[in-house]
Amino acid sequence: MSRTKTIALAAVLALAGCVAHPGSGTHPATSARASLVDPDAVLPPQVLLREDTVTALTHNRSQSRLAYVGVWAVDADHCAMMDQTSFEGFAVITPDSLRQPDETCSFVPGAPGEGSVRLEASCTRNRKISNRPILVEMLNSQSMVLSNDADRPGTRMIRCHLQR
């Protein structure tokens, strides 16, 4: 299925989830949320993941309202490689840290409930520390655009998840 058709289908399913069907027993928001999850964006088993990856996965986003917390990759194939090999195109984000291929950053958590956040981060790369903003724009609960000063306009990423 083409990317355009996939996006259109996701939009239709999300909108369909906004309409309550009497007696269906399914909450509309749950239906819309479930339709966005990429079933192929599966991580390796939890026992093989790094500590910050597990922290990001198990963080209670509904309580903290920090939508950006999670494990992210540019596509489902990259999710499967998480913490197993060195590769480009991922971000592990906890409430106060970000790990990317050659860099680790720390920051004060963003404002709860915001769809876009600017995080003033202190980042370490090759033992050098730099301070810079990191921009996170949530497109929906399962995708975002992550921007660093160096890679504007940013990288679109999908949320990775454990096999259910």
Side-chain angles (χ1 to χ4, degrees):
M1 181 179 288
S2 75
R3 183 173 183 195
T4 304
K5 287 181 183 176
T6 301
I7 292 169
L9 178 59
V12 168
L13 290 172
L15 289 174
C18 294
V19 178
H21 299 284
S24 69
T26 302
H27 187 274
T30 304
S31 299
R33 206 174 309 123
S35 67
L36 295 175
V37 175
D38 183 341
D40 297 325
V42 178
L43 292 162
Q46 185 170 335
V47 297
L48 300 176
L49 299 174
R50 292 173 51 164
E51 184 178 343
D52 65 332
T53 305
V54 174
T55 297
L57 285 170
T58 58
H59 178 78
N60 186 341
R61 291 187 316 275
S62 62
Q63 183 177 20
S64 72
R65 297 181 44 224
L66 298 173
Y68 60 82
V69 174
V71 180
W72 304 89
V74 294
D75 58 36
D77 291 338
H78 284 78
C79 290
M81 298 187 309
M82 192 66 62
D83 295 345
Q84 305 308 299
T85 186
S86 192
F87 67 95
E88 296 290 321
F90 76 89
V92 174
I93 308 176
T94 69
D96 59 3
S97 70
L98 164 78
R99 176 170 51 95
Q100 290 185 288
D102 296 319
E103 176 175 68
T104 302
C105 303
S106 60
F107 48 82
V108 174
E114 295 294 320
S116 293
V117 292
R118 178 184 171 104
L119 305 166
E120 295 300 330
S122 175
C123 301
T124 305
R125 179 187 296 239
N126 298 327
R127 295 187 217 164
K128 294 181 183 177
I129 298 174
S130 65
N131 294 315
R132 62 183 170 74
I134 296 171
L135 307 171
V136 179
E137 179 187 354
M138 297 302 300
L139 302 174
N140 57 51
S141 67
Q142 301 300 311
S143 63
M144 71 163 180
V145 175
L146 179 65
S147 301
N148 296 302
D149 277 344
D151 71 350
R152 293 186 195 260
T155 304
R156 185 181 173 121
M157 295 185 166
I158 61 169
R159 189 180 298 277
C160 302
H161 57 88
L162 290 169
Q163 183 70 45
R164 295 180 193 243

